Amino acid sequence: MSETTEVINELLTGFGLNDSYRTSSLELLEAGESRYLRDLKVNFNSILTSEHLSAKEIALIAISVSVNNHNKPLIAYFTQMAQQNEATAEEIAEATACASLLSSNNIFYRFRHFTQKEKYSQIPARIRMQIMVKPVTGKEFFELMSLAVSAVNGCEMCVNAHEDSLIKLGTTEERIFDTVRIASLITATGKIIF
């Protein structure tokens, strides 16, 4: 067995997937004996710890990003991690709901930002967002999940608004930075494991 295949098998085992599981991306990396797989493994492992976020918070952010990215293996992995770190079914559901809500908001507000037309800012959005008013996970943490999804979806207006809200709520820049770092690495992993 090649070193590349060994690294793939270690990754798959970590996700609870069978050694024979392959995506087209994994097949290409394996055929080319890509050194990137070692980076991917190290990067993924760095998602699992933070000096500024608890394991439960990491798992919930990861669920939200994984749902946003339609990644079944990662959703399953991080749901299990969340449960092992005492996340409730309601908190896991809220992380899932956050991904859905923010996807609509990111499209809508990105459109407003792109067009820069005052008229579109005057028309009511008519997007119901009651979950944001009193989130189960708390306002600060819901803002962190919202920031993560918005960063992945590339909505500048939303990223700025959520980051500003977090700063006003007293969140440290290190906590914000770790959230976005985790979102970026989950998205990168999801390009290979899906």
Side-chain angles (χ1 to χ4, degrees):
M1 179 183 310
S2 73
E3 181 184 343
T4 302
T5 301
E6 285 181 28
V7 173
I8 289 172
N9 290 344
E10 289 172 18
L11 273 168
L12 295 174
T13 300
F15 290 119
L17 299 169
N18 190 298
D19 285 355
S20 63
Y21 178 92
R22 292 292 185 274
T23 62
S24 54
S25 301
L26 271 176
E27 289 172 350
L28 292 170
L29 291 170
E30 188 172 22
E33 297 189 21
S34 177
R35 294 173 305 168
Y36 174 68
L37 287 162
R38 282 178 285 194
D39 291 344
L40 181 67
K41 181 181 164 194
V42 169
N43 289 341
F44 182 78
N45 287 334
S46 79
I47 291 169
L48 305 177
T49 60
S50 167
E51 295 176 18
H52 309 287
L53 298 163
S54 70
K56 176 180 159 181
E57 290 174 326
I58 291 168
L60 291 171
I61 289 165
I63 289 168
S64 199
V65 172
S66 298
V67 168
N68 181 71
N69 295 347
H70 313 287
N71 191 301
K72 288 182 182 181
L74 295 183
I75 292 168
Y77 177 85
F78 287 114
T79 297
Q80 182 179 20
M81 180 181 167
Q83 292 166 338
Q84 289 170 345
N85 286 283
E86 301 180 1
T88 65
E90 291 81 10
E91 291 169 328
I92 292 168
E94 189 164 272
T96 302
C98 180
S100 176
L101 174 60
L102 268 292
S103 290
S104 67
N105 285 358
N106 294 159
I107 292 167
F108 182 79
Y109 290 104
R110 196 166 51 223
F111 165 78
R112 277 188 173 174
H113 179 74
F114 286 164
T115 61
Q116 297 289 312
K117 288 189 176 179
E118 184 63 31
K119 178 69 175 180
Y120 295 133
S121 295
Q122 296 169 356
I123 301 170
R126 296 182 60 197
I127 298 173
R128 186 170 170 90
M129 296 183 255
Q130 289 300 307
I131 194 169
M132 289 181 116
V133 176
K134 193 174 179 187
V136 172
T137 56
K139 182 68 174 158
E140 189 264 357
F141 189 71
F142 195 89
E143 286 288 334
L144 279 175
M145 290 190 295
S146 299
L147 174 66
V149 173
S150 296
V152 169
N153 290 341
C155 180
E156 178 183 356
M157 186 176 186
C158 297
V159 166
N160 287 330
H162 293 299
E163 194 267 351
D164 184 59
S165 291
L166 285 161
I167 294 297
K168 288 176 181 170
L169 288 168
T171 306
T172 65
E173 289 174 331
E174 290 81 7
R175 190 164 158 80
I176 292 166
F177 186 86
D178 257 12
T179 296
V180 176
R181 178 185 63 82
I182 288 166
S184 73
L185 293 174
I186 290 166
T187 300
T189 302
K191 301 296 182 187
I192 308 302
I193 308 290
F194 52 87

